[in-house]
């Protein structure tokens, strides 16, 4: 049986990841404070639940042509849109930074999900 993170667990993981990545990549990602990080993670979770499935569906041909790599672009678009919604307290220096952060977040989420599945067997 495959177990998934609950919304609150995913929110906490995303807050920690975003704050850590903002500290590590100071030139590429700016988060004003912890509260803004929580707001950004909340908006990101909502957009991932509502908008991401639609974007994945309409970009399916591109995703197939790129062997799934276009999924990172979709994740970057969601992050970029999150920064637009949250405002000046959560900003990327460029779309390239959003793409890099989305790749790193995807890898970390995959590792954490794999760890959860392995420990619940």
């Amino acid at each position: 049986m495959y177990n998934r993170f609950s919304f609150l667990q995913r929110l906490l993981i995303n807050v920690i990841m975003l704050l850590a990545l903002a500290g590590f990549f100071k030139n590429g990602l700016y988060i004003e404070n912890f509260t803004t990080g929580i707001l950004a993670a909340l908006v990101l979770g909502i957009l991932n639940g509502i908008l991401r499935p639609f974007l994945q569906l309409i970009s399916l041909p591109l995703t197939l042509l790129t062997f799934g790599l276009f999924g990172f672009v979709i994740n970057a678009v969601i992050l970029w849109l999150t920064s637009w919604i949250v405002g000046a307290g959560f900003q990327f220096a460029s779309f390239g930074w959003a793409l890099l952060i989305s790749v790193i977040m995807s890898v970390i989420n995959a590792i954490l999900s794999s760890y959860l599945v392995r420990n619940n067997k």
Side-chain angles (χ1 to χ4, degrees), residues 22-111:
F24 192 69
F25 297 113
K26 293 181 183 187
N27 293 333
L29 174 60
Y30 170 75
I31 299 177
E32 188 173 35
N33 54 39
F34 185 74
T35 306
T36 305
I38 292 172
L39 177 62
L42 183 63
V43 170
L44 180 63
I46 292 169
L47 289 176
N48 274 334
I50 296 172
L51 187 60
R52 188 169 178 238
F54 174 73
L55 290 177
Q56 286 177 324
L57 181 65
I58 64 171
S59 68
L60 188 59
L62 275 175
T63 303
L64 292 174
L65 282 173
T66 61
F67 300 106
L69 292 177
F70 194 74
F72 292 124
V73 175
I74 293 170
N75 291 342
V77 167
I78 296 292
L79 279 172
W80 192 260
L81 186 58
T82 300
S83 73
W84 182 77
I85 292 171
V86 171
F90 179 71
Q91 294 293 314
F92 291 96
S94 67
F95 185 77
W97 277 106
L99 183 61
L100 175 65
I101 298 295
S102 77
V103 169
I104 293 169
M105 288 182 72
S106 296
V107 169
I108 292 171
N109 275 321
I111 291 168

Side-chain angles (χ1 to χ4, degrees), residues 2-3 5 10 108-118:
Y2 180 72
N3 293 320
F5 290 117
R10 182 73 58 200
I108 292 171
N109 275 321
I111 291 168
L112 289 175
S113 295
S114 171
Y115 178 78
L116 176 72
V117 168
R118 228 178 333 169

